[in-house]
Amino acid sequence: PPAKRQRTSHRRTSESFIEQSQFWFADGDIVIGVEGQSWKIHRSRLMCSVIFADMLELPQPADIERMHGYPLVNLSQDSANDWLVVLTWMYQREKFYNQTVVFDTIAGALRLSNKYDIPDLRQWSTRQLFLRWPQDLTKMTYAAFPHAAEAICLARECDVPEILPASFYALSILRWS
């Protein structure tokens, strides 16, 4: 027998993704795969992202991974919950803007808008952060306190240093039990 083990591929195949009906459009022309979930959406919707617009304008190789005959883009470093936020913003703007804004929605929108260069979504999410952690501390509400530590990490990760003073202040006055 050979002294070394034979290499096995750790690449996820398209069969291991589960179709999510919420954003699985019959006329979609590209499949996004994240954390075992997949969505068949429209390339035109991805064009709001500078990164995806550049990627989709390049000629695609013939041996590209596919799911049900459509190109599969496996985004293994992303969160499925973050993508649900972005897809809701892309396809259901009215619902997105009328929902109660929770920190996880802001964080998901900011992370992916920063990573994939989606200016409109980044503007919305930074505006939401500024409302919770304003530069004028007298305008801060109680909504800032539960997620102050997470906001500090998010601000550093996504380059939003303007919220750091308020989020550090909110964190410093929290009662720890």
Side-chain angles (χ1 to χ4, degrees):
K4 290 186 176 183
R5 282 190 328 214
Q6 214 173 3
R7 259 189 207 178
T8 58
S9 173
H10 294 289
R11 186 175 180 198
R12 178 175 281 204
T13 63
S14 61
E15 291 82 34
S16 62
F17 287 106
I18 299 169
E19 298 169 14
Q20 300 301 311
S21 60
Q22 183 181 6
F23 295 107
W24 189 272
F25 298 99
D27 61 343
D29 52 8
I30 191 166
V31 178
I32 301 288
V34 183
E35 292 183 336
Q37 298 181 43
S38 62
W39 302 280
K40 188 170 121 183
I41 60 173
H42 305 93
R43 289 173 188 256
S44 60
R45 296 293 177 132
L46 288 174
M47 293 304 209
C48 65
S49 159
V50 174
I51 303 299
F52 280 110
D54 287 349
M55 179 188 83
L56 294 172
E57 287 177 2
L58 294 172
Q60 301 300 311
D63 64 343
I64 192 168
E65 191 173 0
R66 295 184 175 276
M67 183 172 182
H68 301 298
Y70 296 95
L72 171 67
V73 180
N74 183 6
L75 303 170
S76 61
Q77 301 298 314
D78 296 342
S79 155
N81 288 335
D82 289 355
W83 266 101
L84 281 172
V85 169
V86 173
L87 290 171
T88 303
W89 177 79
M90 286 179 179
Y91 283 96
Q92 302 168 350
R93 294 271 173 104
E94 188 173 313
K95 177 184 175 186
F96 182 83
Y97 289 131
N98 291 328
Q99 70 184 351
T100 303
V101 181
V102 296
F103 180 78
D104 290 342
T105 299
I106 299 168
L110 183 61
R111 272 192 293 273
L112 291 186
S113 68
N114 195 55
K115 181 175 182 178
Y116 295 110
D117 198 0
I118 307 172
D120 292 343
L121 186 57
R122 179 171 168 83
Q123 182 181 17
W124 174 86
S125 41
T126 54
R127 193 174 336 116
Q128 294 299 319
L129 287 176
F130 295 155
L131 289 173
R132 288 186 184 211
W133 292 281
Q135 290 185 327
D136 180 358
L137 295 179
T138 62
K139 295 180 181 176
M140 190 172 7
T141 65
Y142 289 109
F145 294 97
H147 298 284
E150 294 166 278
I152 292 166
C153 294
L154 185 66
R156 289 182 170 162
E157 176 187 347
C158 297
D159 193 31
V160 189
E162 300 87 349
I163 70 162
L164 288 173
S167 52
F168 273 115
Y169 173 73
L171 184 62
S172 73
I173 63 173
L174 279 176
R175 286 192 157 178
W176 300 90
S177 54

